[in-house]
Amino acid sequence: MTEGIHEYKTKGTCARKITFEIANGTVHNIQFDGGCNGNLKMVSKLLEGMTPAEIAQKCGGNICGQRNTSCADQLARAMQEL
C-alpha cells in the first residue's frame, strides 16, 4: 500500500473523483468532487481512520437509485485498487 495522497476517477456516479490520503495504513481526508455534498461529507467523517480493507468491506456493493454503483461503492473500488 502506497502512503500519500491518491486520486480515483469515478465511473457511473455524480461524483467525478475521490481524493484521499493513506498514512500509517489508514485512510484520511476523503473528499468527493461532486455528488451529494452533505451525504458524502458524512461518509468521509464516518470512514476517517479506517483501513482500506475496512472501507472496501463496508462500502462495496452499495448502489444508488437505478445505477449499479454509488459514490461509496466507487470509494470501495478505489480501496481495492490499493
Side-chain angles (χ1 to χ4, degrees):
M1 175 179 345
T2 305
E3 301 268 317
I5 297 173
H6 298 265
E7 181 176 293
Y8 180 81
K9 294 195 187 274
T10 60
K11 297 169 188 74
T13 62
C14 297
R16 294 173 293 282
K17 70 178 177 179
I18 306 168
T19 57
F20 55 91
E21 182 178 357
I22 302 288
N24 299 318
T26 58
V27 181
H28 303 278
N29 304 317
I30 302 167
Q31 295 181 351
F32 293 83
D33 180 16
C36 303
N37 189 35
N39 290 335
L40 294 174
K41 283 181 181 175
M42 180 53 69
V43 166
S44 299
K45 285 182 183 181
L46 292 172
L47 300 176
E48 177 70 21
M50 289 186 176
T51 66
E54 291 170 327
I55 292 173
Q57 180 182 21
K58 288 187 181 292
C59 296
N62 187 50
I63 61 171
C64 182
Q66 300 297 318
R67 298 177 174 133
N68 64 355
T69 190
S70 68
C71 294
D73 183 61
Q74 290 292 298
L75 178 60
R77 293 175 191 202
M79 296 298 125
Q80 292 168 342
E81 284 188 9
L82 294 173

